[in-house]
Amino acid sequence: MVKRWLLILSLVTNLALASLVVTFGLPWLSDRIGGRKYNPTVARDLNALRKLIYQSEPLHQVLEKHRQMHSWYPKELKEVSFPYPHYEHEVIAVGMSGNPIYYSAEHGSGYRLYLKLNWDASLSYDSAHRRWIYDPGDGSEGTDIEP
C-alpha cells in the first residue's frame, strides 16, 4: 500500500515538474538554442538591438580614421588598431550577448558589419547608406533601426 502511494506521489511530482519545465523552461531553452527573437516594434527589443549597435561605435571610429589616413577602408580588421586593449577580442570576436561582429570591405569604398542574432535573424550595417537593418530571417522585409 505504501509503495503504491509512493508511486502515485512520484508520478504526480514528475507531472508537476514537467508542467513547470514546459511553462517556464522551454521559452528560455528555445532562446538558448535558436537565439533570442527580437521584435523592433517592442521597446524592450528595440533597446536591445540599439545596445548591439552602440557596441560597434568604436569600430566605426577606427574604420573612419583609417579611411581618412589611407583613402580606403581596410580589407581586414587586423590592419587597424583599437583604442581599447580588449575591444577586438571581447566585443568584435566574442560580442556582447554572444553576438560577434563580422566585417567585410566593399572594394575599399565602403564596408558592412554583420551580427548574427539567432538561427536566422541578423543585424547589419551598410556604410554606403549609413543605416542599420534588422532582418528577422523569416523572409519578411528588414526593418531600419535608428541608433
Side-chain angles (χ1 to χ4, degrees):
M1 185 70 165
V2 172
K3 285 184 180 182
R4 182 176 285 167
W5 282 107
L6 285 175
L7 179 63
I8 291 171
L9 182 62
S10 172
L11 288 172
V12 169
T13 304
N14 285 339
L15 285 173
L17 286 174
S19 130
L20 286 172
V21 166
V22 167
T23 304
F24 299 107
L26 285 182
W28 175 82
L29 189 58
S30 71
D31 283 353
R32 300 287 292 171
I33 293 171
R36 179 164 178 229
K37 294 176 176 49
Y38 297 89
N39 180 353
T41 61
V42 175
R44 179 183 66 104
D45 289 347
L46 182 59
N47 289 339
L49 290 169
R50 284 182 175 147
K51 284 181 185 178
L52 292 170
I53 290 170
Y54 301 154
Q55 80 177 359
S56 70
E57 189 55 34
L59 177 55
H60 290 288
Q61 292 173 3
V62 166
L63 292 171
E64 288 303 324
K65 184 177 179 182
H66 184 279
R67 186 188 59 79
Q68 289 172 355
M69 291 174 60
H70 303 284
S71 300
W72 67 86
Y73 291 105
K75 291 180 183 172
E76 298 178 4
L77 288 181
K78 63 183 175 184
E79 297 175 32
V80 298
S81 59
F82 297 95
Y84 310 113
H86 304 289
Y87 184 82
E88 186 172 11
H89 171 71
E90 294 178 4
V91 176
I92 295 174
V94 177
M96 258 175 69
S97 307
N99 305 101
I101 300 173
Y102 299 99
Y103 167 81
S104 65
E106 302 282 323
H107 304 293
S109 62
Y111 64 91
R112 288 183 150 312
L113 299 179
Y114 175 83
L115 290 89
K116 185 169 176 71
L117 301 177
N118 60 36
W119 195 265
D120 295 319
S122 65
L123 183 63
S124 61
Y125 178 76
D126 178 6
S127 69
H129 297 100
R130 296 180 185 246
R131 68 182 200 164
W132 284 95
I133 300 171
Y134 170 69
D135 179 4
D138 59 4
S140 63
E141 194 170 317
T143 305
D144 285 3
I145 305 294
E146 290 293 323

Short mmCIF file of all heavy atoms in Angstrom, two decimals, residues 2-66:
data_model
loop_
_atom_site.label_atom_id
_atom_site.label_comp_id
_atom_site.label_asym_id
_atom_site.label_seq_id
_atom_site.Cartn_x
_atom_site.Cartn_y
_atom_site.Cartn_z
N VAL A 2 1.92 1.27 0.83
CA VAL A 2 2.83 2.41 0.90
C VAL A 2 3.57 2.58 -0.42
O VAL A 2 3.73 3.71 -0.90
CB VAL A 2 3.82 2.24 2.08
CG1 VAL A 2 4.89 3.30 2.06
CG2 VAL A 2 3.08 2.23 3.40
N LYS A 3 3.96 1.47 -1.02
CA LYS A 3 4.66 1.54 -2.31
C LYS A 3 3.75 2.17 -3.37
O LYS A 3 4.21 2.96 -4.20
CB LYS A 3 5.10 0.15 -2.76
CG LYS A 3 6.27 -0.39 -2.02
CD LYS A 3 6.69 -1.72 -2.60
CE LYS A 3 7.88 -2.28 -1.86
NZ LYS A 3 8.32 -3.54 -2.43
N ARG A 4 2.48 1.80 -3.36
CA ARG A 4 1.54 2.35 -4.33
C ARG A 4 1.41 3.86 -4.16
O ARG A 4 1.40 4.61 -5.11
CB ARG A 4 0.19 1.68 -4.18
CG ARG A 4 -0.81 2.19 -5.20
CD ARG A 4 -2.11 1.47 -5.13
NE ARG A 4 -1.90 0.16 -5.74
CZ ARG A 4 -2.75 -0.85 -5.65
NH1 ARG A 4 -3.84 -0.72 -4.94
NH2 ARG A 4 -2.51 -1.98 -6.24
N TRP A 5 1.30 4.33 -2.91
CA TRP A 5 1.19 5.76 -2.65
C TRP A 5 2.47 6.50 -3.04
O TRP A 5 2.42 7.61 -3.56
CB TRP A 5 0.82 6.04 -1.18
CG TRP A 5 -0.64 5.81 -0.93
CD1 TRP A 5 -1.21 4.77 -0.26
CD2 TRP A 5 -1.70 6.62 -1.41
NE1 TRP A 5 -2.55 4.88 -0.27
CE2 TRP A 5 -2.90 6.03 -0.97
CE3 TRP A 5 -1.78 7.79 -2.15
CZ2 TRP A 5 -4.14 6.56 -1.26
CZ3 TRP A 5 -3.02 8.31 -2.42
CH2 TRP A 5 -4.19 7.70 -1.99
N LEU A 6 3.60 5.88 -2.77
CA LEU A 6 4.87 6.50 -3.18
C LEU A 6 4.96 6.60 -4.70
O LEU A 6 5.44 7.60 -5.24
CB LEU A 6 6.06 5.71 -2.63
CG LEU A 6 6.35 5.87 -1.15
CD1 LEU A 6 7.47 4.93 -0.73
CD2 LEU A 6 6.72 7.30 -0.83
N LEU A 7 4.50 5.56 -5.40
CA LEU A 7 4.50 5.59 -6.86
C LEU A 7 3.57 6.69 -7.38
O LEU A 7 3.94 7.45 -8.28
CB LEU A 7 4.08 4.22 -7.41
CG LEU A 7 4.00 4.12 -8.93
CD1 LEU A 7 5.37 4.34 -9.55
CD2 LEU A 7 3.44 2.78 -9.35
N ILE A 8 2.38 6.79 -6.82
CA ILE A 8 1.43 7.83 -7.23
C ILE A 8 1.99 9.21 -6.94
O ILE A 8 1.93 10.12 -7.78
CB ILE A 8 0.07 7.61 -6.54
CG1 ILE A 8 -0.59 6.35 -7.10
CG2 ILE A 8 -0.84 8.82 -6.73
CD1 ILE A 8 -1.83 5.91 -6.36
N LEU A 9 2.56 9.40 -5.74
CA LEU A 9 3.16 10.67 -5.37
C LEU A 9 4.31 11.03 -6.32
O LEU A 9 4.45 12.17 -6.74
CB LEU A 9 3.64 10.63 -3.92
CG LEU A 9 4.26 11.91 -3.38
CD1 LEU A 9 3.23 13.04 -3.39
CD2 LEU A 9 4.78 11.69 -1.98
N SER A 10 5.11 10.03 -6.67
CA SER A 10 6.22 10.24 -7.59
C SER A 10 5.71 10.66 -8.98
O SER A 10 6.25 11.58 -9.60
CB SER A 10 7.05 8.96 -7.69
OG SER A 10 8.02 9.08 -8.70
N LEU A 11 4.67 10.01 -9.47
CA LEU A 11 4.10 10.37 -10.76
C LEU A 11 3.52 11.78 -10.76
O LEU A 11 3.72 12.55 -11.70
CB LEU A 11 3.03 9.36 -11.17
CG LEU A 11 3.52 7.98 -11.58
CD1 LEU A 11 2.35 7.02 -11.76
CD2 LEU A 11 4.35 8.05 -12.84
N VAL A 12 2.80 12.13 -9.71
CA VAL A 12 2.23 13.48 -9.60
C VAL A 12 3.33 14.53 -9.56
O VAL A 12 3.26 15.56 -10.22
CB VAL A 12 1.30 13.57 -8.36
CG1 VAL A 12 0.92 15.01 -8.09
CG2 VAL A 12 0.07 12.71 -8.57
N THR A 13 4.38 14.26 -8.79
CA THR A 13 5.52 15.19 -8.70
C THR A 13 6.18 15.36 -10.07
O THR A 13 6.49 16.47 -10.48
CB THR A 13 6.54 14.68 -7.67
OG1 THR A 13 5.88 14.51 -6.43
CG2 THR A 13 7.69 15.66 -7.51
N ASN A 14 6.39 14.25 -10.77
CA ASN A 14 7.01 14.33 -12.10
C ASN A 14 6.14 15.11 -13.08
O ASN A 14 6.65 15.89 -13.88
CB ASN A 14 7.29 12.93 -12.65
CG ASN A 14 8.48 12.28 -11.98
OD1 ASN A 14 9.32 12.95 -11.41
ND2 ASN A 14 8.53 10.96 -12.03
N LEU A 15 4.83 14.91 -13.03
CA LEU A 15 3.93 15.66 -13.89
C LEU A 15 3.97 17.15 -13.57
O LEU A 15 3.97 18.00 -14.46
CB LEU A 15 2.51 15.13 -13.78
CG LEU A 15 2.23 13.80 -14.49
CD1 LEU A 15 0.83 13.30 -14.15
CD2 LEU A 15 2.40 13.95 -15.98
N ALA A 16 4.01 17.47 -12.29
CA ALA A 16 4.08 18.88 -11.89
C ALA A 16 5.38 19.50 -12.36
O ALA A 16 5.39 20.63 -12.88
CB ALA A 16 3.93 19.01 -10.38
N LEU A 17 6.48 18.80 -12.19
CA LEU A 17 7.78 19.33 -12.65
C LEU A 17 7.80 19.47 -14.17
O LEU A 17 8.32 20.46 -14.70
CB LEU A 17 8.91 18.42 -12.17
CG LEU A 17 9.24 18.52 -10.69
CD1 LEU A 17 10.28 17.46 -10.31
CD2 LEU A 17 9.74 19.90 -10.33
N ALA A 18 7.25 18.50 -14.87
CA ALA A 18 7.22 18.59 -16.34
C ALA A 18 6.39 19.78 -16.78
O ALA A 18 6.75 20.48 -17.73
CB ALA A 18 6.66 17.29 -16.92
N SER A 19 5.29 20.03 -16.10
CA SER A 19 4.47 21.18 -16.46
C SER A 19 5.20 22.49 -16.21
O SER A 19 5.09 23.43 -16.98
CB SER A 19 3.15 21.09 -15.69
OG SER A 19 2.82 22.24 -15.04
N LEU A 20 5.98 22.57 -15.13
CA LEU A 20 6.78 23.77 -14.87
C LEU A 20 7.84 23.97 -15.94
O LEU A 20 8.08 25.09 -16.39
CB LEU A 20 7.44 23.68 -13.49
CG LEU A 20 6.52 23.89 -12.30
CD1 LEU A 20 7.27 23.58 -11.00
CD2 LEU A 20 5.97 25.29 -12.28
N VAL A 21 8.49 22.89 -16.36
CA VAL A 21 9.51 22.99 -17.40
C VAL A 21 8.90 23.48 -18.70
O VAL A 21 9.43 24.35 -19.38
CB VAL A 21 10.22 21.63 -17.60
CG1 VAL A 21 11.03 21.62 -18.88
CG2 VAL A 21 11.10 21.32 -16.41
N VAL A 22 7.74 22.92 -19.08
CA VAL A 22 7.08 23.33 -20.32
C VAL A 22 6.66 24.80 -20.24
O VAL A 22 6.83 25.56 -21.18
CB VAL A 22 5.87 22.43 -20.62
CG1 VAL A 22 5.00 23.01 -21.71
CG2 VAL A 22 6.34 21.04 -21.00
N THR A 23 6.14 25.21 -19.09
CA THR A 23 5.64 26.57 -18.94
C THR A 23 6.76 27.60 -18.89
O THR A 23 6.71 28.63 -19.55
CB THR A 23 4.78 26.69 -17.67
OG1 THR A 23 3.74 25.74 -17.75
CG2 THR A 23 4.21 28.08 -17.53
N PHE A 24 7.79 27.32 -18.09
CA PHE A 24 8.84 28.31 -17.86
C PHE A 24 10.17 27.99 -18.52
O PHE A 24 10.90 28.89 -18.90
CB PHE A 24 9.07 28.50 -16.35
CG PHE A 24 7.85 28.97 -15.62
CD1 PHE A 24 7.14 28.11 -14.80
CD2 PHE A 24 7.40 30.27 -15.79
CE1 PHE A 24 6.01 28.55 -14.14
CE2 PHE A 24 6.28 30.71 -15.13
CZ PHE A 24 5.57 29.85 -14.31
N GLY A 25 10.49 26.72 -18.68
CA GLY A 25 11.80 26.34 -19.18
C GLY A 25 11.94 26.35 -20.68
O GLY A 25 12.97 26.73 -21.22
N LEU A 26 10.90 25.93 -21.41
CA LEU A 26 11.03 25.84 -22.86
C LEU A 26 11.25 27.18 -23.55
O LEU A 26 12.08 27.25 -24.45
CB LEU A 26 9.82 25.12 -23.45
CG LEU A 26 9.81 23.60 -23.24
CD1 LEU A 26 8.60 22.98 -23.92
CD2 LEU A 26 11.07 22.95 -23.74
N PRO A 27 10.54 28.25 -23.17
CA PRO A 27 10.86 29.53 -23.82
C PRO A 27 12.31 29.95 -23.60
O PRO A 27 12.98 30.40 -24.51
CB PRO A 27 9.90 30.52 -23.17
CG PRO A 27 8.76 29.68 -22.70
CD PRO A 27 9.37 28.37 -22.32
N TRP A 28 12.81 29.76 -22.39
CA TRP A 28 14.21 30.10 -22.09
C TRP A 28 15.14 29.20 -22.88
O TRP A 28 16.11 29.65 -23.48
CB TRP A 28 14.47 29.96 -20.60
CG TRP A 28 15.90 30.17 -20.24
CD1 TRP A 28 16.53 31.37 -20.05
CD2 TRP A 28 16.90 29.16 -20.05
NE1 TRP A 28 17.85 31.15 -19.75
CE2 TRP A 28 18.10 29.81 -19.74
CE3 TRP A 28 16.89 27.78 -20.10
CZ2 TRP A 28 19.27 29.13 -19.49
CZ3 TRP A 28 18.06 27.11 -19.85
CH2 TRP A 28 19.23 27.78 -19.55
N LEU A 29 14.82 27.90 -22.92
CA LEU A 29 15.66 26.95 -23.62
C LEU A 29 15.66 27.20 -25.12
O LEU A 29 16.69 27.11 -25.77
CB LEU A 29 15.19 25.52 -23.31
CG LEU A 29 16.07 24.39 -23.79
CD1 LEU A 29 17.48 24.53 -23.21
CD2 LEU A 29 15.47 23.05 -23.41
N SER A 30 14.51 27.55 -25.69
CA SER A 30 14.47 27.82 -27.13
C SER A 30 15.30 29.05 -27.48
O SER A 30 15.93 29.10 -28.53
CB SER A 30 13.04 27.98 -27.62
OG SER A 30 12.49 29.18 -27.15
N ASP A 31 15.31 30.06 -26.61
CA ASP A 31 16.16 31.22 -26.84
C ASP A 31 17.63 30.83 -26.78
O ASP A 31 18.45 31.35 -27.52
CB ASP A 31 15.87 32.32 -25.82
CG ASP A 31 14.60 33.09 -26.14
OD1 ASP A 31 14.02 32.85 -27.21
OD2 ASP A 31 14.19 33.91 -25.30
N ARG A 32 17.97 29.93 -25.88
CA ARG A 32 19.37 29.50 -25.75
C ARG A 32 19.80 28.69 -26.97
O ARG A 32 20.92 28.78 -27.41
CB ARG A 32 19.55 28.65 -24.49
CG ARG A 32 19.21 29.35 -23.19
CD ARG A 32 20.22 30.36 -22.80
NE ARG A 32 21.45 29.70 -22.45
CZ ARG A 32 22.59 30.31 -22.24
NH1 ARG A 32 22.65 31.61 -22.32
NH2 ARG A 32 23.66 29.65 -21.93
N ILE A 33 18.91 27.88 -27.52
CA ILE A 33 19.26 27.03 -28.66
C ILE A 33 19.22 27.83 -29.96
O ILE A 33 20.16 27.85 -30.73
CB ILE A 33 18.30 25.82 -28.75
CG1 ILE A 33 18.53 24.90 -27.56
CG2 ILE A 33 18.50 25.07 -30.06
CD1 ILE A 33 17.50 23.80 -27.43
N GLY A 34 18.11 28.49 -30.23
CA GLY A 34 17.93 29.19 -31.50
C GLY A 34 18.31 30.64 -31.47
O GLY A 34 18.36 31.30 -32.48
N GLY A 35 18.57 31.20 -30.30
CA GLY A 35 18.88 32.61 -30.18
C GLY A 35 17.63 33.41 -29.84
O GLY A 35 16.51 32.97 -30.07
N ARG A 36 17.86 34.56 -29.29
CA ARG A 36 16.74 35.41 -28.87
C ARG A 36 16.01 35.96 -30.09
O ARG A 36 16.61 36.33 -31.08
CB ARG A 36 17.28 36.55 -28.02
CG ARG A 36 16.21 37.49 -27.58
CD ARG A 36 16.66 38.37 -26.46
NE ARG A 36 15.57 39.26 -26.15
CZ ARG A 36 15.70 40.56 -26.02
NH1 ARG A 36 16.87 41.11 -26.13
NH2 ARG A 36 14.66 41.31 -25.76
N LYS A 37 14.71 36.03 -30.00
CA LYS A 37 13.91 36.62 -31.06
C LYS A 37 13.63 38.08 -30.71
O LYS A 37 13.35 38.40 -29.57
CB LYS A 37 12.61 35.85 -31.22
CG LYS A 37 12.85 34.44 -31.73
CD LYS A 37 11.56 33.66 -31.80
CE LYS A 37 11.74 32.29 -32.38
NZ LYS A 37 12.77 31.49 -31.87
N TYR A 38 13.73 38.96 -31.70
CA TYR A 38 13.53 40.39 -31.49
C TYR A 38 12.32 40.86 -32.28
O TYR A 38 12.09 40.41 -33.40
CB TYR A 38 14.75 41.18 -31.95
CG TYR A 38 16.01 40.88 -31.16
CD1 TYR A 38 16.86 39.87 -31.55
CD2 TYR A 38 16.33 41.62 -30.04
CE1 TYR A 38 18.02 39.60 -30.84
CE2 TYR A 38 17.49 41.36 -29.32
CZ TYR A 38 18.32 40.34 -29.73
OH TYR A 38 19.46 40.08 -29.02
N ASN A 39 11.61 41.81 -31.71
CA ASN A 39 10.51 42.47 -32.39
C ASN A 39 10.78 43.97 -32.26
O ASN A 39 10.55 44.54 -31.19
CB ASN A 39 9.17 42.10 -31.75
CG ASN A 39 8.00 42.78 -32.43
OD1 ASN A 39 8.18 43.64 -33.30
ND2 ASN A 39 6.81 42.40 -32.04
N PRO A 40 11.27 44.62 -33.31
CA PRO A 40 11.66 46.03 -33.20
C PRO A 40 10.52 47.00 -32.91
O PRO A 40 10.76 48.16 -32.65
CB PRO A 40 12.32 46.35 -34.54
CG PRO A 40 12.02 45.23 -35.43
CD PRO A 40 11.56 44.08 -34.62
N THR A 41 9.28 46.52 -32.92
CA THR A 41 8.16 47.40 -32.56
C THR A 41 7.92 47.39 -31.05
O THR A 41 7.15 48.20 -30.55
CB THR A 41 6.87 46.97 -33.28
OG1 THR A 41 6.53 45.64 -32.89
CG2 THR A 41 7.04 47.05 -34.78
N VAL A 42 8.60 46.51 -30.33
CA VAL A 42 8.50 46.43 -28.87
C VAL A 42 9.70 47.17 -28.29
O VAL A 42 10.85 46.92 -28.68
CB VAL A 42 8.48 44.96 -28.41
CG1 VAL A 42 8.51 44.86 -26.89
CG2 VAL A 42 7.28 44.23 -28.98
N ALA A 43 9.46 48.09 -27.37
CA ALA A 43 10.52 48.96 -26.83
C ALA A 43 11.69 48.16 -26.25
O ALA A 43 12.85 48.50 -26.48
CB ALA A 43 9.94 49.89 -25.77
N ARG A 44 11.42 47.09 -25.52
CA ARG A 44 12.49 46.30 -24.90
C ARG A 44 13.41 45.70 -25.97
O ARG A 44 14.63 45.74 -25.86
CB ARG A 44 11.88 45.20 -24.04
CG ARG A 44 12.89 44.29 -23.37
CD ARG A 44 12.20 43.18 -22.60
NE ARG A 44 11.50 42.27 -23.48
CZ ARG A 44 11.94 41.06 -23.80
NH1 ARG A 44 13.06 40.61 -23.29
NH2 ARG A 44 11.25 40.29 -24.61
N ASP A 45 12.82 45.17 -27.04
CA ASP A 45 13.62 44.57 -28.11
C ASP A 45 14.35 45.63 -28.92
O ASP A 45 15.50 45.43 -29.33
CB ASP A 45 12.73 43.73 -29.03
CG ASP A 45 12.25 42.45 -28.35
OD1 ASP A 45 12.77 42.10 -27.29
OD2 ASP A 45 11.33 41.81 -28.90
N LEU A 46 13.70 46.76 -29.17
CA LEU A 46 14.35 47.85 -29.89
C LEU A 46 15.56 48.36 -29.10
O LEU A 46 16.63 48.59 -29.67
CB LEU A 46 13.37 48.99 -30.15
CG LEU A 46 13.90 50.19 -30.94
CD1 LEU A 46 14.40 49.75 -32.32
CD2 LEU A 46 12.83 51.25 -31.06
N ASN A 47 15.43 48.48 -27.79
CA ASN A 47 16.55 48.89 -26.95
C ASN A 47 17.67 47.86 -26.99
O ASN A 47 18.85 48.22 -27.02
CB ASN A 47 16.10 49.12 -25.50
CG ASN A 47 15.24 50.35 -25.36
OD1 ASN A 47 15.27 51.24 -26.21
ND2 ASN A 47 14.44 50.39 -24.31
N ALA A 48 17.33 46.58 -26.99
CA ALA A 48 18.35 45.53 -27.07
C ALA A 48 19.09 45.60 -28.40
O ALA A 48 20.33 45.45 -28.44
CB ALA A 48 17.70 44.16 -26.88
N LEU A 49 18.38 45.85 -29.49
CA LEU A 49 19.04 45.99 -30.80
C LEU A 49 19.94 47.22 -30.82
O LEU A 49 21.05 47.18 -31.37
CB LEU A 49 18.00 46.06 -31.91
CG LEU A 49 17.23 44.78 -32.20
CD1 LEU A 49 16.06 45.04 -33.13
CD2 LEU A 49 18.15 43.72 -32.78
N ARG A 50 19.48 48.30 -30.22
CA ARG A 50 20.31 49.52 -30.17
C ARG A 50 21.57 49.30 -29.34
O ARG A 50 22.63 49.82 -29.68
CB ARG A 50 19.50 50.68 -29.62
CG ARG A 50 18.52 51.23 -30.64
CD ARG A 50 17.76 52.40 -30.12
NE ARG A 50 16.93 52.96 -31.17
CZ ARG A 50 15.76 53.52 -30.95
NH1 ARG A 50 15.27 53.62 -29.73
NH2 ARG A 50 15.07 54.00 -31.96
N LYS A 51 21.48 48.54 -28.27
CA LYS A 51 22.69 48.24 -27.48
C LYS A 51 23.71 47.50 -28.33
O LYS A 51 24.92 47.76 -28.22
CB LYS A 51 22.33 47.42 -26.25
CG LYS A 51 21.70 48.22 -25.16
CD LYS A 51 21.37 47.36 -23.95
CE LYS A 51 20.62 48.17 -22.92
NZ LYS A 51 20.24 47.35 -21.76
N LEU A 52 23.25 46.59 -29.17
CA LEU A 52 24.16 45.89 -30.07
C LEU A 52 24.79 46.86 -31.06
O LEU A 52 25.96 46.73 -31.41
CB LEU A 52 23.42 44.78 -30.80
CG LEU A 52 22.96 43.61 -29.92
CD1 LEU A 52 22.03 42.70 -30.70
CD2 LEU A 52 24.15 42.85 -29.38
N ILE A 53 24.02 47.84 -31.51
CA ILE A 53 24.54 48.85 -32.43
C ILE A 53 25.59 49.72 -31.72
O ILE A 53 26.66 50.00 -32.27
CB ILE A 53 23.40 49.71 -33.00
CG1 ILE A 53 22.54 48.89 -33.96
CG2 ILE A 53 23.94 50.96 -33.70
CD1 ILE A 53 21.26 49.57 -34.40
N TYR A 54 25.29 50.13 -30.50
CA TYR A 54 26.19 51.02 -29.76
C TYR A 54 27.54 50.37 -29.50
O TYR A 54 28.57 51.04 -29.46
CB TYR A 54 25.58 51.45 -28.43
CG TYR A 54 24.27 52.19 -28.55
CD1 TYR A 54 23.36 52.19 -27.52
CD2 TYR A 54 23.93 52.90 -29.71
CE1 TYR A 54 22.14 52.86 -27.62
CE2 TYR A 54 22.72 53.57 -29.82
CZ TYR A 54 21.84 53.54 -28.77
OH TYR A 54 20.64 54.21 -28.88
N GLN A 55 27.57 49.05 -29.35
CA GLN A 55 28.85 48.38 -29.08
C GLN A 55 29.79 48.48 -30.27
O GLN A 55 31.00 48.33 -30.12
CB GLN A 55 28.62 46.92 -28.71
CG GLN A 55 28.37 46.02 -29.90
CD GLN A 55 28.22 44.57 -29.51
OE1 GLN A 55 28.32 44.22 -28.34
NE2 GLN A 55 27.96 43.73 -30.48
N SER A 56 29.26 48.76 -31.45
CA SER A 56 30.12 48.84 -32.63
C SER A 56 30.66 50.24 -32.90
O SER A 56 31.46 50.43 -33.82
CB SER A 56 29.34 48.37 -33.86
OG SER A 56 28.34 49.31 -34.19
N GLU A 57 30.28 51.23 -32.12
CA GLU A 57 30.70 52.61 -32.38
C GLU A 57 32.23 52.79 -32.40
O GLU A 57 32.75 53.45 -33.30
CB GLU A 57 30.05 53.57 -31.39
CG GLU A 57 30.27 55.02 -31.73
CD GLU A 57 29.85 55.41 -33.15
OE1 GLU A 57 28.87 54.86 -33.68
OE2 GLU A 57 30.52 56.28 -33.73
N PRO A 58 32.98 52.22 -31.45
CA PRO A 58 34.44 52.35 -31.56
C PRO A 58 34.99 51.74 -32.85
O PRO A 58 35.96 52.25 -33.41
CB PRO A 58 34.97 51.61 -30.33
CG PRO A 58 33.84 51.68 -29.35
CD PRO A 58 32.59 51.60 -30.19
N LEU A 59 34.36 50.70 -33.34
CA LEU A 59 34.78 50.09 -34.60
C LEU A 59 34.56 51.06 -35.75
O LEU A 59 35.44 51.24 -36.60
CB LEU A 59 34.02 48.79 -34.83
CG LEU A 59 34.29 48.05 -36.12
CD1 LEU A 59 35.77 47.76 -36.31
CD2 LEU A 59 33.47 46.77 -36.17
N HIS A 60 33.41 51.73 -35.79
CA HIS A 60 33.15 52.75 -36.83
C HIS A 60 34.20 53.85 -36.79
O HIS A 60 34.70 54.27 -37.83
CB HIS A 60 31.77 53.39 -36.63
CG HIS A 60 30.62 52.49 -36.92
ND1 HIS A 60 30.28 52.10 -38.20
CD2 HIS A 60 29.72 51.91 -36.10
CE1 HIS A 60 29.24 51.32 -38.14
NE2 HIS A 60 28.86 51.19 -36.89
N GLN A 61 34.53 54.31 -35.60
CA GLN A 61 35.52 55.38 -35.47
C GLN A 61 36.88 54.97 -36.01
O GLN A 61 37.54 55.73 -36.72
CB GLN A 61 35.61 55.82 -34.00
CG GLN A 61 34.37 56.51 -33.51
CD GLN A 61 34.41 56.78 -32.02
OE1 GLN A 61 35.40 56.52 -31.34
NE2 GLN A 61 33.32 57.33 -31.50
N VAL A 62 37.31 53.76 -35.69
CA VAL A 62 38.60 53.26 -36.16
C VAL A 62 38.59 53.10 -37.68
O VAL A 62 39.56 53.46 -38.36
CB VAL A 62 38.95 51.92 -35.46
CG1 VAL A 62 40.08 51.21 -36.15
CG2 VAL A 62 39.27 52.16 -34.00
N LEU A 63 37.49 52.60 -38.22
CA LEU A 63 37.41 52.42 -39.68
C LEU A 63 37.41 53.76 -40.41
O LEU A 63 38.07 53.91 -41.45
CB LEU A 63 36.15 51.62 -40.03
CG LEU A 63 36.16 50.16 -39.58
CD1 LEU A 63 34.79 49.54 -39.77
CD2 LEU A 63 37.24 49.37 -40.29
N GLU A 64 36.69 54.75 -39.87
CA GLU A 64 36.68 56.08 -40.50
C GLU A 64 38.05 56.75 -40.40
O GLU A 64 38.49 57.40 -41.33
CB GLU A 64 35.60 56.95 -39.86
CG GLU A 64 34.19 56.56 -40.25
CD GLU A 64 33.95 56.57 -41.76
OE1 GLU A 64 34.50 57.43 -42.47
OE2 GLU A 64 33.20 55.69 -42.23
N LYS A 65 38.73 56.57 -39.28
CA LYS A 65 40.08 57.12 -39.12
C LYS A 65 41.03 56.50 -40.14
O LYS A 65 41.84 57.19 -40.76
CB LYS A 65 40.57 56.87 -37.69
CG LYS A 65 41.90 57.48 -37.39
CD LYS A 65 42.27 57.25 -35.94
CE LYS A 65 43.62 57.84 -35.63
NZ LYS A 65 44.02 57.60 -34.22
N HIS A 66 40.91 55.19 -40.34
CA HIS A 66 41.74 54.51 -41.32
C HIS A 66 41.45 55.04 -42.72
O HIS A 66 42.37 55.29 -43.51
CB HIS A 66 41.48 53.00 -41.27
CG HIS A 66 42.37 52.21 -42.17
ND1 HIS A 66 42.13 52.07 -43.52
CD2 HIS A 66 43.52 51.54 -41.92
CE1 HIS A 66 43.07 51.34 -44.06
NE2 HIS A 66 43.94 50.99 -43.11
#
